[in-house]
Amino acid sequence: MCVESVPPPSSRLTRRGVLAGAAALAGTTAALTAAAPRANASTAREGRRTGGDLVVEGGTLLDPATGEVTEDAVVVIADGVVRSAGRRGKAAVPEGAEVLDAHGRWILPGLVEAHIHLNTATEARDAVLLGATSARSGSTNFYQDIAVRELAREAPGQAPRLRAAGIFVTPDLGDTILADPELTPLAKLREGVRSPEALRRVVEVNLARGADVIKTRVNERAGLPEQDPLAQVYDREQLSAVVAAARRGGKGVLCHSYSEKGCHDAVMAGIRSLEHGAFVGERTLHEMRRRGTYFTPTLTAIAGLAESSDPVLAERGRQYLPVLKRAVLAAHELGVPLAAGTDSSGGKIKPIGREVELMRAAGLSALDAIRTATTGAAKLLGLERTAGRLARGFAGDVLLVDGDPLADVTVLKKPVRVVRSGFAL
Ligand SMILES: [Zn+2]
């Protein structure tokens, strides 16, 4: 029980070794080799091109930032980056460029998914094909998300541009205790990961492994019938210890929360975004607005519970979904920033367009619902100059959809074509 006897994470923990190990676990090594055959990694890094050249032409372009709609638009992408986007004739189209015909379709930026669990290469690929060209991880079991992030850099068509969370900061690590040898001293702790030292240790191992964000929890899980999602597992002080350790590494915290008090404690502890948050109260929403704390309600996951074959989970879903929808609308009306996230996991990737559909069903306008999966989520991920719009300098990530998303956001659930960093998939 003496956490002071636990040494700090060792310096032998190198990024290279970590990435190789995590890639093997995620089954991504073969995918990488297939996608980018090369003599060795270091030569490929020098001066390599990371994106494709493509001209998307003829469709109706929607800019989520302004709501502006441009008919007969042309988007020019060079080396994976947008060079111009707007009405035909405004920009020179490079001769001989590959052209993607978008006539009769709507052109949107690739969507941003703010809460997803990508434990395998297949899930990463599915997420992109379903429209999420950028994403934030909600943690993985064995650091696969760190490898997925690298996979996305090497072979953009295979994974969303990712903010990785590493492993979940939770009282009981379970099998995840084996994710890193530096975690094993925590197995001696009878009460699990609860002391400030133990909490700090898990955050620091995540940071050493290269996590971009830290994921923790205040409540138990909703998706397991034997757990009570309103039961609190960490108090404000413990959450503050997690936030402080993350901040020392310059990172923000996303926090799984359900109960009114749990949400309040998490927000007061200084988290960057509240995840799920079904019973978030008005005092907490005001505090979130004041602090700029994001709300990622993951309506898709709660709606999924309602369809569960388990009667406890189905009842939970039916009870929580209308409460959560009201919280989403209240948050939006107060000016709390919202981010779309499906909380997909376990091999079943849901289209991020489904979350937009549920944001709309909660009462947001179509444009505001689309913003939760574009400009809004992009800002949460620190990608506001990269993702969420098609404008000069932004990533060449494009969605083609069949129909006007401002009239019917459900078209986003079935993108007819996805372009990732200038590569048409
Ligand atoms: Zn999650």
Side-chain angles (χ1 to χ4, degrees), residues 312-334:
V312 174
L313 297 184
E315 181 54 26
R316 196 176 276 168
R318 279 194 292 273
Q319 279 182 16
Y320 285 20
L321 187 58
V323 178
L324 182 55
K325 280 184 175 170
R326 282 198 294 276
V328 165
L329 187 57
H332 181 64
E333 285 174 348
L334 263 179

Side-chain angles (χ1 to χ4, degrees), residues 115 117 138 215 256 276 343:
H115 188 135
H117 302 267
K215 166 79 180 298
H256 164 109
H276 320 305
D343 200 10

